[in-house]
Amino acid sequence: MTELVPGGNTPLPDGALAFRVPGPFDVSALITDDSGRVRGDGDFVFFNQPAAPGVRLDGGRLTVDPPRLRSGASRVTVVVSPTDLTTPLGRLPSPTIQVTSADGRVLARFTPPRPQRETVLLLAELYRRGTAWKLRALGQGYADGLAGVARDFGVDVTEDTAPSGGAAANTTPHGGRGGPPLTAPRVPSPGPAFARGSAPGTRRPDAAARGGSPVAPGGGPDPDGFLGPVNAARAAAGSPPVRLDTRLTAAARGHAAAMAARGVLASETPDGVSVYQRVLAAGYPYLTIGEHLVSGPRTPREFVEYCLSAEPSRRTLGDPAFEQAGLARVPDTRTGDLYWTALWARPFSPAGLDLTTREVIALTNGERAAAGLPPLATDATLTAAAQAHSADMVARDFYAHTSPEGSRPWDRAAAAGSAHRAVGENIACGQRSPAEVVRGWMDSPGHRANILKRDFTHIGIGLAGGSRAGTYWTQLFGG
């Protein structure tokens, strides 16, 4: 049995699969194609519509038979909500999903971090890769019930009358467009671990201005008064102030407008562009980035208060690593709801890249020291290959150890000039810091095995930001 962590994935056998979430929870499912959108309302399986081709809900048991899914379906997202919709998930035990095969074998289990204000979680995703199917752990939260989840996937939802006013609409468990996800889904994914031994065939797996309008280098004034409440909240958290940057603001405005045009909150809008791709397209290369995607608040102060209301979003707002920001709000002309995008970033610099990679190596060597292993030495050729792979994944919008033309980790290492006979690679995407990415790798058995492999003697680190999942990390080992 595989114990999954957020973003982790595992292959699945052929045949029907059963999903159970014990406890006071309702299970639902959304059937989509590669775009992440349903074809029609019949692709939403829940207590009032318990069956679709290849998917059946029977009490608390959800059965998925991939070969029987409708034509074009490539993904089934498993959703969990409290049986009592007036109870936030934070008041209940964290839901655990268990996946079993047709012969009753337990294949995988996943328990997400305990929710806070969320009333619904996207718990796991069954998805097709080629002809095979895999399971990915999610744990993404919404605060506006099944209506918000369904709407983001393209299901038509009959809404109750939305309450008037601003952020108070977030308390509506069903209906009411004011209720947003706590933050739009962000799934840090450590990816599969990949290694090859020396023997053939042994692969394994500055401060804002005081008074007046704050201005940043390359930035501009703050006519909407965002920076006052933002930097007051950061000061209370012991973090330095952020400055506005015109490029981040342009990206934030474009993403907020795309969300408002369709009435959806998502890190990737229906036009197929992610918020991170907008940042790169605006000419802003970054080392680290964070975001808040919210609807409901009416003023900058309400927006900040909302961001402070839960630990994950509060941590992003107060992250001391962020130096610059872009903020925008755009109304949905049909409903009047405001759609907010806030971007927080640390700009790219060669010195910053060097510092970040050295921190990843130091944390990696700390894990090796704790296991009684010698440290890995930095290797220029492995570093070049790792950096090139991260940049390539961003530029060509893929996420894999094998590049689109078939290049594998040891191929890239050799092309960069490496003479190491044993080569291994860990990749990850979505993590915002060296500590977060190393912790994710150590929580995954395959990645941990690479980090703690005695035969490896050298390491190179690469990272690049700007594609669908934010920052793409590569850790390349040689021995």
Side-chain angles (χ1 to χ4, degrees):
M1 184 192 69
T2 300
E3 288 280 358
L4 292 171
V5 298
N9 60 73
T10 187
L12 294 169
D14 295 336
L17 303 158
F19 298 80
R20 285 185 178 277
V21 183
F25 304 107
D26 282 333
V27 178
S28 311
L30 289 143
I31 304 152
T32 60
D33 55 23
D34 288 336
S35 72
R37 307 284 287 177
V38 299
R39 180 178 291 178
D41 293 356
D43 283 346
F44 186 21
V45 175
F46 66 116
F47 46 84
N48 282 338
Q49 184 171 271
V55 182
R56 174 167 293 278
L57 181 62
D58 184 8
R61 176 188 173 97
L62 179 75
T63 302
V64 180
D65 191 355
R68 297 181 179 274
L69 293 173
R70 63 151 172 88
S71 175
S74 60
R75 193 178 304 174
V76 178
T77 303
V78 181
V79 182
V80 67
S81 56
T83 302
D84 178 359
L85 290 174
T86 65
T87 303
L89 286 168
R91 296 183 186 174
L92 300 174
S94 192
T96 295
I97 188 168
Q98 183 168 286
V99 187
T100 57
S101 62
D103 59 7
R105 287 182 299 119
V106 179
L107 303 172
R109 188 169 56 198
F110 169 57
T111 303
R114 185 166 184 174
Q116 301 294 321
R117 295 178 56 206
E118 296 95 323
T119 55
V120 169
L121 285 180
L122 308 185
L123 203 51
E125 176 184 70
L126 180 73
Y127 65 101
R128 187 174 61 209
R129 280 293 178 267
T131 59
W133 288 82
K134 302 180 76 174
L135 180 75
R136 179 184 292 122
L138 298 179
Q140 303 165 12
Y142 282 68
D144 61 341
L146 289 175
V149 177
R151 191 178 297 114
D152 273 8
F153 281 76
V155 179
D156 290 330
V157 178
T158 301
E159 297 181 321
D160 301 330
T161 301
S164 61
N170 296 340
T171 60
T172 308
H174 270 288
R177 284 184 176 266
L182 202 56
T183 57
R186 181 182 73 92
V187 192
S189 173
F194 215 54
R196 186 178 75 171
S198 55
T202 57
R203 296 181 201 165
R204 287 186 296 276
D206 302 330
R210 289 186 178 87
S213 296
V215 177
D222 180 23
D224 293 316
F226 286 116
L227 286 183
V230 163
N231 283 331
R234 287 179 61 84
S239 297
V242 291
R243 310 182 302 273
L244 286 181
D245 182 274
T246 53
R247 297 161 297 176
L248 287 173
T249 297
R253 186 175 297 113
H255 197 75
M259 292 193 298
R262 293 292 298 272
V264 297
L265 275 167
S267 59
E268 183 175 325
T269 49
D271 56 6
V273 182
S274 82
V275 67
Y276 314 110
Q277 290 169 318
R278 295 184 197 278
V279 171
L280 200 63
Y284 189 100
Y286 59 83
L287 277 174
T288 186
I289 195 164
E291 73 284 339
H292 288 99
L293 310 176
V294 175
S295 70
R298 308 301 300 178
T299 67
R301 192 167 299 280
E302 283 185 7
F303 167 77
V304 170
E305 289 173 355
Y306 179 79
C307 292
L308 294 174
S309 65
E311 176 56 29
S313 57
R314 181 166 60 247
R315 189 166 56 246
T316 298
L317 180 63
D319 193 326
F322 298 138
E323 300 172 1
Q324 296 177 330
L327 303 105
R329 51 183 172 177
V330 175
D332 180 336
T333 57
R334 298 159 298 183
T335 66
D337 293 329
L338 289 177
Y339 283 77
W340 299 72
T341 297
L343 297 169
W344 320 95
R346 180 184 174 197
F348 175 88
S349 69
L353 177 63
D354 181 62
L355 180 64
T356 302
T357 58
R358 283 192 282 116
E359 188 173 347
V360 174
I361 293 171
L363 290 167
T364 299
N365 281 334
E367 297 292 347
R368 287 178 64 88
L373 297 170
L376 302 170
T378 304
D379 184 292
T381 59
L382 295 177
T383 298
Q387 184 61 40
H389 188 55
S390 286
D392 190 31
M393 287 192 289
V394 168
R396 294 199 282 173
D397 191 21
F398 74 96
Y399 180 58
H401 292 286
T402 302
S403 69
E405 69 274 5
S407 167
R408 295 169 296 179
W410 41 88
D411 301 321
R412 295 188 290 269
S418 172
H420 293 292
R421 297 184 64 199
V423 171
E425 182 179 83
N426 289 341
I427 59 175
C429 64
Q431 292 83 0
R432 294 174 177 168
S433 68
E436 187 177 351
V437 74
V438 172
R439 182 169 61 249
W441 281 327
M442 288 299 295
D443 285 342
S444 167
H447 302 87
R448 180 187 179 94
N450 272 347
I451 289 173
L452 301 183
K453 186 172 181 177
R454 186 174 294 275
D455 292 344
F456 289 146
T457 57
H458 291 75
I459 189 172
I461 304 296
L463 64 139
S467 195
R468 295 178 188 273
T471 300
Y472 288 64
W473 306 77
T474 301
Q475 191 178 42
L476 194 58
F477 305 91

